[in-house]
């Protein structure tokens, strides 16, 4: 009877460890490429891998394997489905037409009140062609104040 209790206790501890070490889909950061045509066949699937272990979170007991792909080595990665943008700046995929840290070209930062519209830093609080946001034009004769057309 004593051995049965010890066996049951060990089984419970093992199941608890498995539950705590399970990963969720949000924690997995594998890049998903839809190779619909053979043009993207030069993209590596999981050639470059590095193993990391974390002492935090749900996978503290098991090491994870993650794909390491940067756009400086594989520029076509930025054109893949789900990418933040088609341009590569400092090993990250960005859209230089809308990214305020890389507006128009890599490394060009917009000042504090400005946003990036079509690759140009503009102030949406006073810009007549981008009043309150990109491509929001004020009507002829009205002005842009506080991000609103014809504010009075």
């Amino acid at each position: 009877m004593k051995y049965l209790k010890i066996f049951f206790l060990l089984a419970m501890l093992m199941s608890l460890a498995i539950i705590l070490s399970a990963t969720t889909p949000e924690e997995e950061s594998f890049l998903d490429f839809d190779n619909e045509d053979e043009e993207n066949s030069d993209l590596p699937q999981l050639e470059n891998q590095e193993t990391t272990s974390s002492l935090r979170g749900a996978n503290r007991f098991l090491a994870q394997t993650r794909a390491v792909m940067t756009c400086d080595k594989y520029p076509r990665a930025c054109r893949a489905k789900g990418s933040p943008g088609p341009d590569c700046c400092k090993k990250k995929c960005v859209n230089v037409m809308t990214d305020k840290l890389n507006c128009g070209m890599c490394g060009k930062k917009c000042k504090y009140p400005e946003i990036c519209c079509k690759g140009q830093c503009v102030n949406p609080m006073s810009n007549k062609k981008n009043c309150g946001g990109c491509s929001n034009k004020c009507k002829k004769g009205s002005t842009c104040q506080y991000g609103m057309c014809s504010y009075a």
Side-chain angles (χ1 to χ4, degrees):
M1 187 73 172
K2 185 176 181 180
Y3 292 112
L4 186 60
K5 286 182 181 179
I6 292 173
F7 177 76
F8 181 74
L9 182 62
L10 285 175
M12 293 297 288
L13 286 174
M14 288 176 58
S15 64
L16 181 63
I18 290 171
I19 290 170
L20 290 176
S21 65
T23 59
T24 60
E26 295 86 29
E27 294 172 350
E28 294 179 4
S29 67
F30 291 108
L31 297 175
D32 182 26
F33 292 104
D34 291 336
N35 291 335
E36 297 170 357
D37 53 357
E38 293 301 316
E39 290 179 6
N40 294 335
S41 62
D42 63 343
L43 291 174
Q45 294 303 317
L46 290 176
E47 290 176 7
N48 297 337
Q49 293 183 349
E50 82 180 18
T51 303
T52 59
S53 63
S54 174
L55 296 177
R56 293 184 185 178
N59 8 346
R60 64 181 175 259
F61 296 116
L62 301 174
Q64 297 178 14
T65 303
R66 296 181 185 248
V68 177
M69 284 186 61
T70 55
C71 61
D72 61 330
K73 293 180 184 176
Y74 306 103
R76 296 183 84 182
C78 292
R79 289 185 251 148
K81 184 178 178 182
S83 174
D87 307 301
C88 182
C89 294
K90 295 183 180 177
K91 299 182 183 182
K92 292 184 181 180
C93 295
V94 297
N95 187 346
V96 295
M97 299 306 267
T98 58
D99 186 31
K100 65 188 296 183
L101 299 176
N102 300 289
C103 188
M105 63 186 216
C106 293
K108 183 182 175 191
K109 297 179 183 178
C110 295
K111 295 177 183 173
Y112 166 66
E114 297 176 331
I115 60 174
C116 186
C117 294
K118 298 180 183 174
Q120 298 288 322
C121 292
V122 296
N123 187 344
M125 301 301 267
S126 60
N127 189 294
K128 201 171 180 181
K129 293 181 181 177
N130 301 288
C131 189
C134 294
S135 301
N136 187 21
K137 296 180 183 178
C138 292
K139 293 180 181 176
K140 192 173 184 178
S142 65
T143 60
C144 180
Q145 294 177 337
Y146 306 108
M148 295 179 277
C149 295
S150 299
Y151 178 79

